[in-house]
Amino acid sequence: MSGNIKLLGDTLAAAKAEGRSALIAYLPAGFPTVDGGIEAAKAVFDGGADVVEVGLPHSDPVLDGPVIQTADDIALRGGVKIADVMRTVREAHQATGKPVLVMTYWNPIDRYGIERFTAELAEAGGAGCILPDLPVQESATWREHADKHGLATVFVVAPSSKDARLAEITAAGSGFVYAASLMGVTGTRESVGAQAQDLVRRTKATTDLPVCVGLGVSNPEQAAEVARFADGVIVGSAFVKRMLAADGDLADGLAGIRSLAAELAEGVRQQA
């Protein structure tokens, strides 16, 4: 069974055809529970997200700030497993028909087995993987299996990336390029800043892939700002914060993230 890389590409192209950025939401699997995480993914789609990234909780999430670390810890203490991540992808995609990716560090895939992971993700209807800590020069085996199963391989670029390095990364990637808006970890910021715009400009000079910006976007104003120069706006910590603020009340948490998705979806539709 083939994964949904084409659906991902079509979704990003459709947003562009509407003259706007795509809204990409991130939520960890298993948070606050496996069932609750599945409902959360559906809720952000209901609110207006175009794509969802399902995080595979990790004990040492080097790219993630304290908010997502807290959610990961809750999921891990709840016993979340890779099978639960696959179930989250499957149910979120089946319920909406929209593209769902997995964001994961490399170690869990390496331990699970590349062929097993890619085959199961494709079977679940996944669109691909975001791999923030897999070096491009060590990614050939992964990309071979991902390509075979119709899965996108999304790499992360940072403001520190030199132009030659950007070209190397974008040549190896597929689906889209994840541009980290600033140096550091995920979390909400007061301003996304000019660094992100410069990084998108430099990245676009190397590739025809869509370039989507994450790290720091938390409100409609920031989403609108980033949407003026990026093909997609990625929001994670702000959604997780809403779920955490519900303090165990799942219905309240789902209402909060559905509402935030609607606000952000409006933000990416604002004209410059």
Side-chain angles (χ1 to χ4, degrees), residues 125-144:
C129 249
I130 301 163
L131 299 160
D133 66 340
L134 176 63
V136 169
Q137 61 270 25
E138 296 173 21
S139 68
T141 303
W142 161 266
R143 287 186 283 124
E144 176 187 331

Side-chain angles (χ1 to χ4, degrees), residues 150-183:
L151 298 169
T153 297
V154 179
F155 289 113
V156 179
V157 297
S160 59
S161 303
K162 305 296 185 191
D163 290 351
R165 178 68 175 156
L166 287 176
E168 182 184 6
I169 293 170
T170 58
S174 56
F176 65 90
V177 182
Y178 187 127
S181 67
L182 69 178
M183 301 304 292

Side-chain angles (χ1 to χ4, degrees), residues 54-56 58 102-106 108-109 117 129-133:
V54 173
L56 196 162
H58 194 269
V102 169
M103 185 167 185
T104 179
Y105 296 96
W106 181 245
I109 294 177
F117 190 94
C129 249
I130 301 163
L131 299 160
D133 66 340

Side-chain angles (χ1 to χ4, degrees), residues 29-40 75 78-81 83-85 87-88:
F31 168 73
T33 61
V34 175
D35 288 345
I38 292 167
E39 293 307 311
V80 69
K81 295 179 170 56
D84 300 314
V85 177
R87 182 182 156 218
T88 303

Side-chain angles (χ1 to χ4, degrees), residues 60-272:
D60 185 26
V62 292
L63 186 70
D64 296 313
V67 172
I68 291 174
Q69 286 184 26
T70 298
D72 277 4
D73 185 56
I74 290 167
L76 290 167
R77 283 192 282 113
V80 69
K81 295 179 170 56
I82 288 179
D84 300 314
V85 177
M86 299 299 179
R87 182 182 156 218
T88 303
V89 171
R90 177 181 292 104
E91 296 196 17
H93 170 64
Q94 286 181 346
T96 63
K98 295 183 179 179
V100 184
L101 300 111
V102 169
M103 185 167 185
T104 179
Y105 296 96
W106 181 245
N107 181 257
I109 294 177
D110 195 36
R111 291 174 60 187
Y112 198 71
I114 298 172
E115 172 58 22
R116 182 184 177 196
F117 190 94
T118 51
E120 289 183 7
L121 182 56
E123 190 277 329
C129 249
I130 301 163
L131 299 160
D133 66 340
L134 176 63
V136 169
Q137 61 270 25
E138 296 173 21
S139 68
T141 303
W142 161 266
R143 287 186 283 124
E144 176 187 331
H145 287 279
D147 289 348
K148 180 174 77 172
H149 289 291
L151 298 169
T153 297
V154 179
F155 289 113
V156 179
V157 297
S160 59
S161 303
K162 305 296 185 191
D163 290 351
R165 178 68 175 156
L166 287 176
E168 182 184 6
I169 293 170
T170 58
S174 56
F176 65 90
V177 182
Y178 187 127
S181 67
L182 69 178
M183 301 304 292
V185 297
T186 58
T188 58
R189 301 290 195 286
E190 290 300 313
S191 171
V192 179
Q195 268 190 330
Q197 188 165 359
D198 180 63
L199 176 59
V200 169
R201 178 188 59 77
R202 292 194 299 118
T203 304
K204 280 182 169 288
T206 72
T207 184
D208 291 329
L209 288 172
V211 181
C212 304
V213 170
L215 275 69
V217 178
S218 61
N219 59 49
E221 293 74 27
Q222 290 173 334
E225 175 193 352
V226 172
R228 289 172 192 139
F229 57 82
D231 299 301
V233 178
I234 303 169
V235 180
S237 295
F239 285 117
V240 175
K241 269 188 173 177
R242 291 277 178 108
M243 291 296 289
L244 288 169
D247 198 24
D249 185 331
L250 181 60
D252 187 42
L254 295 176
I257 60 173
R258 191 179 292 109
S259 171
L260 177 60
E263 292 167 16
L264 294 165
E266 190 176 326
V268 300
R269 285 166 171 80
Q270 290 179 13
Q271 296 301 310

